[in-house]
Amino acid sequence: MAVTEALRLPLSVDLSGFIALLQRLRVPCRVSEEAGEQVLRVPAETVEQVRELYQRYPQGDGTVVVEQPAGRGAGFTAALRRSPLTATVLLLTLIAAAITMVGENYDTIRWFSFSDFRIDGQYAYFATLEQTLAEGQWWRLLTPIFVHFGFLHLAMNSMWYWELGRRIEYRQGASTLLGFTLLFGVISNLSQYVFGGPGIFGGLSGVLYGLLGHCWLFQKLSPDEAYRLPPGVVVLMLAWLVICLTGVIEVVSFGALAIANAAHVAGLVAGCITGIAGGWLARRKVEA
């Protein structure tokens, strides 16, 4: 493996924090003293990334190791402490799953659904959006994100919210993650209602596509290790979105599995917009 000089700094500069950061990111490195200076060498293919990382975090910064898997026991507990809002949203999701019996109890699903409904025989009758808002039930614009239908639906969405949510909480703070969760949740739910019509829908998927779009384009405009997603994740998620849009999933499941496509697309578009805006602002701040 070829190594190349990435940094040449005075001996007075303390590189210990930055070296620890590289080690946590599993970047091989070697420091030597040459001509009264300390020289940091890394694999040739990582030189530019290491230089950029040093510009951002010369003393090291634990937030950029968010993509590293949490260890067991104390490691997982520490991860929970570092991402309290992410954990809180997931806890609320689990509570809602228990209350609704993972989408089986329609009497309690009514509390979370976008619009109230009643079931009469084989038919369901839904309140309109106007009626819902006129009665002051504004919470319904958001609460469908906590409803999941089946353990697989719950597990997949929870896993991705943990993966994406804590990145944003680490990089931009809990208030930003809360704002994005509320924003993407309302936008995706409204879009599903407008384009899909009245019905029972739910899940964090719209929010997840928003978080994905944000991390993806923020990273493109202002590279940041916290938003560097594992290879193939964006392609996989976008491919799944396209497959769902074709309707093949509903055909294969014989109509038993309905996909909230409008929520997914709306969440992704909203996330791409915030990612572009956030990445552009971060880039200007660095260049200033």
Side-chain angles (χ1 to χ4, degrees):
M1 178 176 59
V3 295
T4 304
E5 178 182 314
L7 298 172
R8 182 177 288 268
L9 301 166
L11 294 176
S12 58
V13 175
D14 183 8
L15 271 177
S16 59
F18 186 69
I19 296 301
L21 172 59
L22 292 181
Q23 290 174 343
R24 290 198 297 273
L25 291 174
R26 300 178 184 175
V27 177
C29 59
R30 183 173 70 237
V31 179
S32 60
E33 183 179 341
E34 300 177 14
E37 295 179 304
Q38 52 184 334
V39 179
L40 172 67
R41 289 184 170 83
V42 297
E45 62 272 16
T46 66
V47 169
E48 293 303 322
Q49 291 177 333
V50 168
R51 287 173 178 169
E52 183 177 328
L53 191 62
Y54 182 76
Q55 292 297 318
R56 293 175 178 274
Y57 307 103
Q59 304 301 319
D61 190 322
T63 65
V64 300
V65 302
V66 61
E67 68 177 302
Q68 300 301 317
R72 296 181 178 179
F76 181 69
T77 301
L80 288 177
R81 288 199 300 266
R82 290 196 303 267
S83 49
L85 182 63
T86 306
T88 299
V89 172
L90 291 178
L91 177 61
L92 292 175
T93 302
L94 292 175
I95 292 173
I99 292 174
T100 62
M101 296 178 64
V102 200
E104 295 290 337
N105 189 335
Y106 287 98
D107 289 334
T108 53
I109 288 176
R110 287 183 55 192
W111 305 345
F112 298 90
S113 63
F114 190 83
S115 53
D116 197 4
F117 63 88
R118 64 182 178 86
I119 297 178
D120 186 0
Q122 296 183 346
Y123 298 93
Y125 300 90
F126 295 87
T128 65
L129 177 59
E130 291 76 12
Q131 292 171 331
T132 298
L133 298 183
E135 294 176 4
Q137 299 178 1
W138 291 85
W139 74 84
R140 294 186 182 275
L141 297 176
L142 178 69
T143 50
I145 70 173
F146 297 111
V147 179
H148 288 81
F149 303 95
F151 287 103
L152 181 60
H153 188 207
L154 173 65
M156 292 299 294
N157 280 358
S158 297
M159 179 190 71
W160 281 112
Y161 191 85
W162 172 253
E163 178 68 24
L164 297 170
R166 63 191 180 123
R167 292 172 182 271
I168 293 174
E169 187 169 3
Y170 285 164
R171 174 63 177 82
Q172 295 182 267
S175 59
T176 298
L177 176 60
L178 176 61
F180 284 164
T181 300
L182 297 176
L183 176 65
F184 300 153
V186 171
I187 288 176
S188 60
N189 289 336
L190 273 172
S191 299
Q192 185 60 37
Y193 177 85
V194 170
F195 292 99
I200 302 173
F201 56 86
L204 277 166
S205 301
V207 174
L208 296 179
Y209 271 103
L211 300 183
L212 176 73
H214 179 81
C215 292
W216 176 32
L217 293 188
F218 190 108
Q219 166 71 8
K220 291 291 185 183
L221 291 173
S222 181
D224 191 291
E225 288 299 320
Y227 286 169
R228 188 179 300 281
L229 298 170
V233 165
V234 174
V235 174
L236 175 64
M237 294 289 280
L238 294 181
W240 175 251
L241 177 61
V242 172
I243 291 172
C244 291
L245 287 172
T246 65
V248 68
I249 301 299
E250 296 183 19
V251 172
V252 171
S253 65
F254 299 101
L257 181 62
I259 307 296
N261 290 315
H264 295 174
V265 173
L268 179 62
V269 171
C272 287
I273 292 173
T274 62
I276 291 172
W280 180 74
L281 290 173
R283 186 170 182 171
R284 285 196 61 186
K285 183 177 180 181
V286 171
E287 294 174 348

